[in-house]
Amino acid sequence: MVQHAMFRALAVVFGIAASLTAADLTGLVVADHDGSPVIGAAITLRSAGKVVAEFETDDTGRFRAPGLPAGEYVVSATKASFTTVERRAVISQSGAQAGAQTSTDVLLEVTKLGVISGRVTDNQGNGLRNFVVAAVPVPSDGSPVRVYSSRPKGAVTDASGRYRIFGLTRGDYVLVALAGSARSIADVPNSGAPDTSHGNTAEYYPSGRTPSVLSIRSGEQLTNMDFRAYSGPLFTIRGTVAGPGPDTPYRVSLVAEFVGIPLASATAQPGKEFVFDRVAPGTYKIVASRQDNAGANSIIELINSGQIVVSSANEAAIIRELQAAGKLDEANKQKIAPAFGDTAVTVTSNVTGLSLSARSGVDVKLSYQTPKNCPASVPLTLNPVEYMGIGSTSKKLDAGVELPLSGIPVAAYSVSLTLPESSGCYAVTSVIDFRQVTSGATVPIVVANMGGIRGKAITTGFSPDDFTIVLMTPNGINKRTFALDKNSSFSIPNLRPGNYRLTVSRRSAAHVVAADQSVTVKSGANVEVEFPALP
């Protein structure tokens, strides 16, 4: 009654004439890992961007919005410790006629979020305050674990060294405890002053230098994930950088092994050493990078000296003008060209005389290749797979138009295309390794159609509402839950090609019975499956 009263009040505010309509919008909110109903989830119903109803799910996870006019609605379900999910629902004109006894049913699957907690201590078991502990996701595609291109969830240790990381979606994680400047990589609320007594360090759970992979299932809590911070001798690394444009400074980073966290940075001035102090024993990568704007001072000096004359104010425009006019000789080009280099170093004592060789990036063209029914234009983001001292690169790809990129580091990049799920398309190209690309070459970015699954369950003698369809990975990780329609059929569109498992189950008062099938989805095709009657 409270839900209906709230709906009527909102209907008056937004001018919905309930007396002229009789279509209902009903729905069910379930936890996607086991299909259990989610009680007390906040449901918000929007139409044309305006809220038209707000209510909660009952003790069976269901909700009902009565007497809605024809139109398109967005239904969202929210509850603490769960992901927020939205679904689109359409009420047809025929279903909204006065006196009609029709309804539109919506299934919303929410994921219960996980928690990891533990403690960071010194060798005597004393808690260490203001360490940041981050839960770094392990990519499901087998690519390297990296933290710098996103901000993983984390927490700050309290006075007793305790931490608690909330809001983790299901998946695999690596835990890392950070002191010093590296702690800024995590998404941490109310972060205090960094702990500097342990140097710029990254400690992995459980053994400090060798991380373990922790798996979080929906709603799981992992406790007693404890660290013991390194508290032994700290050392110094000294070195120089050689490369194109020898009189241009480089930014040098000290990068932790395994997850590629930049622990500290320094500047390599021409002819002088860079220095990293307070380095714990371990294996690191030293990365030197010079971006497009690193040659700005050299260009300004040439302009101020009168050696070159320009009319543009913007640096990028200046460089283009100089290049068009042929006023950049090879030496000046080397000063402004991006350049990168890296080397590995194992620290067991002070390191001196380290030398890095940097080289210019490559110039390439990207060619967007897509079927006609996929978007003709799409936003592209390139993220370096390994830390190279450079962030992501964002561009727009257009079918039939080559996109030039200059100064790309000779390294591997992951490819991310913003393709709406509703488009039914996915990126086939996921990684570009520029170490295998010749400068000036054209690199294809390929998009293809997704596949789908259509099926039917034999439900003779039972209501289709008694059945649940679950889509899983081959190793049993639940991905989505579906209900059967009134004809005992189901459809799962927009699936990437690959292997899946489907389970159909019927819940009775006594027990749950289920059957499953392995399904292979191919690009641009629907797989037809049928489940026989359950006992």
Side-chain angles (χ1 to χ4, degrees):
M1 293 299 293
V2 173
Q3 293 182 14
H4 292 181
M6 183 177 296
F7 176 81
R8 285 194 295 270
L10 287 164
V12 171
V13 172
F14 290 104
I16 298 175
S19 62
L20 298 179
T21 63
D24 294 349
L25 178 64
T26 60
L28 173 65
V29 181
V30 298
D32 65 357
H33 66 289
D34 61 4
S36 62
V38 177
I39 302 169
I43 304 298
T44 302
L45 183 64
R46 293 180 174 85
S47 179
K50 295 181 179 180
V51 175
V52 297
E54 293 177 312
F55 33 78
E56 292 186 351
T57 55
D58 61 19
D59 57 4
T60 67
R62 293 189 173 277
F63 61 89
R64 176 173 175 265
L68 292 174
E72 182 175 312
Y73 297 87
V74 175
V75 188
S76 64
T78 304
K79 187 172 182 179
S81 299
F82 286 85
T83 55
T84 296
V85 173
E86 289 188 349
R87 288 288 182 269
R88 174 178 169 269
V90 176
I91 295 179
S92 65
Q93 187 65 40
S94 60
Q97 299 301 317
Q101 300 298 317
T102 61
S103 66
T104 299
D105 200 50
V106 178
L107 176 67
L108 297 110
E109 306 157 278
V110 293
T111 300
K112 189 170 177 57
L113 301 174
V115 177
I116 297 178
S117 62
R119 195 164 177 247
V120 180
T121 64
D122 60 19
N123 287 338
Q124 289 72 47
N126 301 311
L128 296 176
R129 186 171 191 166
N130 285 338
F131 264 66
V132 165
V133 182
V136 183
V138 177
S140 59
D141 61 2
S143 58
V145 179
R146 290 294 178 260
V147 70
Y148 54 85
S149 59
S150 62
R151 289 177 61 79
K153 291 187 179 297
V156 181
T157 57
D158 61 17
S160 63
R162 298 189 181 280
Y163 70 90
R164 189 172 177 85
I165 305 173
F166 297 92
L168 298 172
T169 56
R170 64 186 175 205
D172 294 334
Y173 294 87
V174 165
L175 275 185
V176 57
L178 303 167
S181 60
R183 51 190 266 121
S184 63
I185 58 95
D187 182 10
V188 178
N190 304 320
S191 178
D195 182 299
T196 58
S197 60
H198 292 79
N200 291 300
T201 56
E203 304 287 333
Y204 304 110
Y205 176 85
S207 60
R209 294 294 175 263
T210 304
S212 291
V213 175
L214 303 175
S215 294
I216 286 280
R217 304 307 176 197
S218 293
E220 189 173 14
Q221 296 192 32
L222 301 182
T223 59
N224 301 319
M225 303 291 106
D226 300 336
F227 294 82
R228 180 163 293 179
Y230 175 78
S231 56
L234 300 172
F235 303 105
T236 298
I237 300 175
R238 296 177 179 272
T240 57
V241 179
D247 57 348
T248 305
Y250 284 79
R251 182 176 182 270
V252 187
S253 300
L254 175 70
V255 183
E257 59 180 338
F258 193 76
V259 295
I261 300 174
L263 299 175
S265 62
T267 300
Q269 297 289 350
K272 296 183 179 180
E273 286 185 326
F274 62 84
V275 179
F276 293 114
D277 291 319
R278 303 180 59 76
V279 180
T283 300
Y284 302 87
K285 187 165 75 169
I286 311 295
V287 176
S289 62
R290 186 184 68 200
Q291 307 299 310
D292 284 310
N293 59 1
N297 291 336
S298 300
I299 295 296
I300 292 172
E301 289 173 2
L302 292 172
I303 294 173
N304 291 339
S305 67
Q307 296 181 47
I308 56 177
V309 179
V310 298
S311 58
S312 304
N314 176 270
E315 181 191 341
I318 289 174
I319 294 173
R320 287 195 298 269
E321 183 178 336
L322 295 176
Q323 290 172 330
K327 296 179 181 179
L328 278 179
D329 59 24
E330 191 59 34
N332 289 331
K333 289 180 182 178
Q334 292 291 342
K335 291 180 181 180
I336 65 172
F340 309 88
D342 65 276
T343 190
V345 58
T346 299
V347 176
T348 57
S349 60
N350 290 332
V351 177
T352 59
L354 189 68
S355 178
L356 276 78
S357 296
R359 57 175 176 165
S360 300
V362 297
D363 298 337
V364 300
K365 297 176 182 178
L366 302 184
S367 173
Y368 179 43
Q369 300 179 7
T370 177
K372 290 182 179 179
N373 56 344
C374 290
S377 296
V378 62
L380 162 76
T381 301
L382 295 176
N383 286 305
V385 173
E386 297 188 12
Y387 184 82
M388 293 299 295
I390 186 172
S392 60
T393 298
S394 296
K395 301 287 184 180
K396 188 184 78 167
L397 289 175
D398 294 308
V401 179
E402 291 188 335
L403 174 67
L405 295 177
S406 60
I408 298 295
V410 183
Y413 275 73
S414 65
V415 177
S416 175
L417 299 182
T418 306
L419 287 163
E421 183 178 344
S422 59
S423 71
C425 305
Y426 75 102
V428 177
T429 306
S430 59
V431 174
I432 301 174
D433 191 344
F434 289 104
R435 291 169 294 196
Q436 301 176 9
V437 176
T438 304
S439 189
T442 298
V443 180
I445 306 293
V446 182
V447 167
N449 297 117
M450 291 186 179
I453 302 173
R454 291 175 181 168
K456 184 178 181 65
I458 307 303
T459 62
T460 306
F462 298 95
S463 168
D465 293 339
D466 293 337
F467 292 80
T468 299
I469 303 291
V470 179
L471 177 72
M472 298 181 292
T473 62
N475 60 357
I477 297 177
N478 291 10
K479 294 179 70 66
R480 289 192 245 170
T481 304
F482 300 86
L484 295 178
D485 64 20
K486 64 182 181 181
N487 297 316
S488 299
S489 299
F490 64 92
S491 177
I492 309 175
N494 301 336
L495 293 176
R496 286 176 175 267
N499 297 320
Y500 298 89
R501 280 178 57 196
L502 273 181
T503 294
V504 59
S505 63
R506 176 172 59 83
R507 184 178 299 276
S508 68
H511 61 285
V512 175
V513 291
D516 69 299
Q517 293 186 30
S518 296
V519 180
T520 298
V521 174
K522 297 182 179 180
S523 176
N526 284 304
V527 182
E528 301 287 342
V529 299
E530 182 172 291
F531 286 95
L534 294 174

